[in-house]
Every structure is written in C-alpha cells, then in structure tokens.
Amino acid sequence: MAHTLQFPDGFRWGAATAAHQIEGNNVNSDWWVREHAAGTTIVEPSGDAADSYHRYAQDMRLLKDAGLDTYRFSIEWARIEPEKGFVSRAEVAHYRRMVETALELGITPMVTLMHFTVPRWFYQEGMWRAADAADRFARYVEAALPVLGDDVEWVCTINEPNIAAMIAGGEDPANLVAYGLPAPDLAVADTLLECHHRAQEVLSGVGGVRSGWTIATQAFQAEPGCEDVKHAYGYPRDDWYLEMSKGDDWVGVQAYTRTIIGPDGPRQVPEGVETTLTGWEYYPPAMAEGVRSAWELTGGVPVFVTENGIATADDARRIDYTEAALAHLHAAIADGVTVEGYLHWSLLDNYEWASGFRPTFGLVGWDPETFERRPKPSLAWLGEQARANALTVR
C-alpha cells in the first residue's frame, strides 16, 4: 500500500549536468585533447554531445515544466579562458544568459565553476601540479564573477575533487568505472583544497553566495575484521575531503553505489548481483549513507545531494532506484540531518567520459542526429514528487 513521505519546507528538487558532457565541441579543453589522442582508451569523442550549448533554454524548460525547481550546470573554464590570460567576454555573456534564463523560468541555478575539464593550456602546463595552479584558478573565478551577478545563491567551486585527484596525474580515465578507484595524488588533493579556498575568498565578495564543493561518496563497507583496511583505503579517497568541508556553507554529496572492502581492499561486484550500465552494483541506500557520512565528518555542515542516479536503459528501473534512494534520504532527514535538496544525475543522457554515450543516466533522451529531446517517464515522475514536496512510496 502506498504511503507518503513529506520533505521539509524549502527542500529543493532538480537535476544536474556538466558542460563538457552535454554542450558539445568543447575544443579548447583537456578532455577534447584526451579524446582525440592517439591510442586513447576513451571509447569515443564527445563531439556535438547533446548540443545543449545552443539548446539550454529548451532543456531548462523541460525541467521546469516537469515540476522541478533547481538546475545545477557547470561553466567551462576552457571557453571563458581559451588561451592563458585571454578572457572571452562573449563566453562570459553566454553563461550569464544561462543564469538569466533559469531565473526567468523560475528555476534556481546552481553554478559549478569546475567540473573536471580545464583549458588545454593549463593541462599542458602541468595542470594541478603547476606551481601557480591556485593563482590561475582564482583568476579564472574572478573572470567568471559576471556570470554569477548578484542573483546566484548556490555555487560549487570544484566538482568531485577526490576523483579529480585521481585523474589529474594522468591516470587512465577508463579505470574510473572499474570496481576499485586508483590512488589519488595527495599533492594534487592539497592543491585542489587550496583552489577551493581561494575560490571561496573571491566569492566572499559577492553578496548572497553560498559556496561549497561536491564529493563523490563511495559508501565504503568493511567486511568483518576489515575496518582498518577500509579506513586506509577510504580516508584518502573520500573522508578527508568531507573533513576538509568543515566550515563551508554546504557540502555536496554525489552517490551511486557502494564499495565493499575486504582484507585486500575493494571487492568486485559478486556474480548474480544486479548491476547498472557502468557495472556498478544497484544499491539505492548509497546516497543516504553518503549524506550521513558527510553530516558526521563535517560536524553538521548542511548537505546538498548534487548528484544521484542510475545508468540504465530501463526507465522504470530508474524510477525504482530513485524512489528507494529518496526514501532512505528521507530517513536521514528524519534523524536530524540537514539536507538542502536533491538533484538527479542527469537531466540529459550525456557523454560519460571514458565510457562514451552508452551509459544513459538521463531523465531526458535525445536523437543523436536531430538532437530532438525525448523526455522519459522518470522526468514526469520526479516532477510529481517535487510538486508535492513529498515522496509517494509504492
């Protein structure tokens, strides 16, 4: 029998995207270079992607018409500063129009300043290992301030710095969809934290901005007797970044699955267990576990679920997963965790990095030839929950 779980007043409901994954033709970025490099393990280039660079207004209207109220999108450093020291006023204006379009539609924008991709010149100069990396990032944030104006409240400085620390050092991005995660470059992690703080210093001069960063939480679970192994594996990949979020305005949690830790580290997903198109275990409690961990390790910093979803071609299974994940999230809220909102990954089927276009996470599909948008039943379903600010559990 169905029952209803009410969410707190002011709880936000929406969806998230990342520029490189949906815009198309991000030719001045490091990922464009990686995609087209000889011998790359990346299965296909991003190309036109979903052409959301030109179709963002249509995409936002789909979100709004469904009943959602918040859209997280990223702006591209590689477009804003395509060459070192040169700032494109036209691209700054483009992203400002995105903000204004969201506001005109009654959508709350959450702007991500860096979602993995960087300019190719920054990549060629050592990326996060460059001596002046934090200075460069702070200057980029200053250049991007007109995008925010005085009416953007939610700003994410860096998306998943824990994953960025794994790929920044040249780690094969194909490894990021395996059952275990490569070891992070701890020096890069320190630099990313410095970049986060430098960005917050710049943003502190903008009235009304609430800033944070988003962490890919892995829901590490130790087998009996393996708690020390779990800590040694999980702390530098997850917990440290949450601890470093203490004092921030909010912290983002991005969660999809769990990682079981045995005596030798992460276990592969056992035979017979349901998995998604990325090979991850179907595990809806992961998001709430990440939220609880973030709340505990930050000492009570408000949590925003900035990504949660499932790569599947079965949209009914997407609804099942999201319903279960939201029920677990509601339980965490009932236990006293402050959660600002829930953003589904992703609004659109998109370019999933080394995996190409095959893993479909979107609430909206699209035709690869015409780019015609094809909303899925999951979009309408999530919008219904948002309009009611409540989850109907079947």
Side-chain angles (χ1 to χ4, degrees):
M1 187 174 179
H3 62 283
T4 301
L5 302 174
Q6 194 69 38
F7 279 75
D9 290 345
F11 187 84
R12 300 187 178 280
W13 299 80
T17 60
H20 187 80
Q21 294 178 260
I22 62 168
E23 283 185 343
N25 300 301
N26 187 23
V27 298
N28 291 313
S29 73
D30 65 318
W31 268 90
W32 190 271
V33 175
R34 293 175 195 236
E35 292 162 17
H36 293 274
T40 182
T41 56
I42 297 171
V43 298
E44 60 185 323
S46 55
D48 292 323
D51 192 35
S52 196
Y53 184 87
H54 299 105
R55 300 167 195 268
Y56 64 83
Q58 177 187 1
D59 296 336
M60 290 185 196
R61 278 193 293 272
L62 287 170
L63 180 148
K64 179 63 177 179
D65 289 348
L68 302 175
D69 58 41
T70 303
Y71 182 40
R72 174 182 174 229
F73 60 90
S74 73
I75 63 177
E76 267 299 329
W77 184 0
R79 294 190 194 271
I80 289 174
E81 192 180 4
E83 295 292 343
K84 187 175 183 178
F86 171 77
V87 174
S88 169
R89 291 188 292 271
E91 294 290 3
V92 170
H94 167 82
Y95 287 116
R96 178 59 197 171
R97 283 194 298 274
M98 287 188 68
V99 168
E100 291 171 350
T101 299
L103 295 171
E104 287 165 7
L105 290 170
I107 296 169
T108 297
M110 176 185 282
V111 176
T112 301
L113 300 176
M114 200 281 288
H115 196 121
F116 289 149
T117 45
V118 300
R120 63 167 73 200
W121 61 260
F122 184 67
Y123 174 60
Q124 290 162 351
E125 291 185 2
M127 211 163 164
W128 307 112
R129 289 199 179 97
D132 63 348
D135 292 336
R136 284 286 165 198
F137 189 69
R139 275 176 233 154
Y140 155 62
V141 176
E142 288 174 357
L145 286 179
V147 174
L148 307 178
D150 59 3
D151 44 19
V152 172
E153 178 181 2
W154 300 96
V155 178
C156 167
T157 59
I158 297 171
N159 177 78
E160 296 186 349
N162 51 335
I163 305 298
M166 297 173 198
I167 62 177
E171 176 64 47
D172 185 347
N175 289 345
L176 296 178
V177 295
Y179 70 94
L181 293 171
D185 183 317
L186 299 183
V188 168
D190 287 340
T191 298
L192 290 168
L193 179 62
E194 183 183 0
C195 289
H196 173 55
H197 289 153
R198 292 286 298 277
Q200 288 181 312
E201 288 173 15
V202 174
L203 294 169
S204 67
V206 182
V209 165
R210 297 178 66 187
S211 64
W213 62 359
T214 64
I215 309 303
T217 60
Q218 310 298 313
F220 295 115
Q221 297 177 5
E223 291 183 343
C226 298
E227 286 74 15
D228 289 348
V229 181
K230 171 194 164 186
H231 179 77
Y233 184 85
Y235 186 79
R237 289 170 170 81
D238 190 325
D239 292 355
W240 179 81
Y241 298 86
L242 294 173
E243 288 183 355
M244 293 303 106
S245 306
K246 289 177 181 176
D248 287 355
D249 296 325
W250 56 275
V251 60
V253 163
Q254 311 197 160
Y256 298 89
T257 190
R258 68 175 170 180
T259 303
I260 297 173
I261 305 294
D264 300 318
R267 295 284 199 190
Q268 294 198 42
V269 178
E271 288 290 328
V273 171
E274 181 179 356
T275 57
T276 70
L277 289 175
T278 48
W280 300 338
E281 180 185 356
Y282 179 99
Y283 186 71
M287 183 244 294
E289 291 176 18
V291 164
R292 291 178 187 273
S293 178
W295 179 253
E296 178 182 343
L297 290 169
T298 60
V301 169
V303 181
F304 209 128
V305 177
T306 41
E307 289 184 23
N308 171 251
I310 176 176
T312 181
D314 182 351
D315 196 56
R317 205 67 182 127
R318 176 173 291 105
I319 294 173
D320 294 341
Y321 177 92
T322 308
E323 178 186 303
L326 284 166
H328 286 284
L329 180 65
H330 185 274
I333 294 170
D335 286 341
V337 180
T338 298
V339 182
E340 300 280 1
Y342 171 85
L343 305 181
H344 193 85
W345 183 267
S346 173
L347 177 61
L348 298 167
D349 286 342
N350 59 29
Y351 179 73
E352 280 295 326
W353 309 110
S355 302
F357 291 99
R358 178 177 169 271
T360 44
F361 280 92
L363 300 169
V364 178
W366 44 274
D367 185 287
E369 299 291 331
T370 66
F371 303 107
E372 176 193 1
R373 279 14 186 186
R374 296 170 176 169
K376 303 176 188 178
S378 55
L379 176 64
W381 173 86
L382 187 60
E384 287 174 13
Q385 318 308 306
R387 289 182 197 277
N389 196 33
L391 174 69
T392 299
V393 180
R394 297 162 293 171

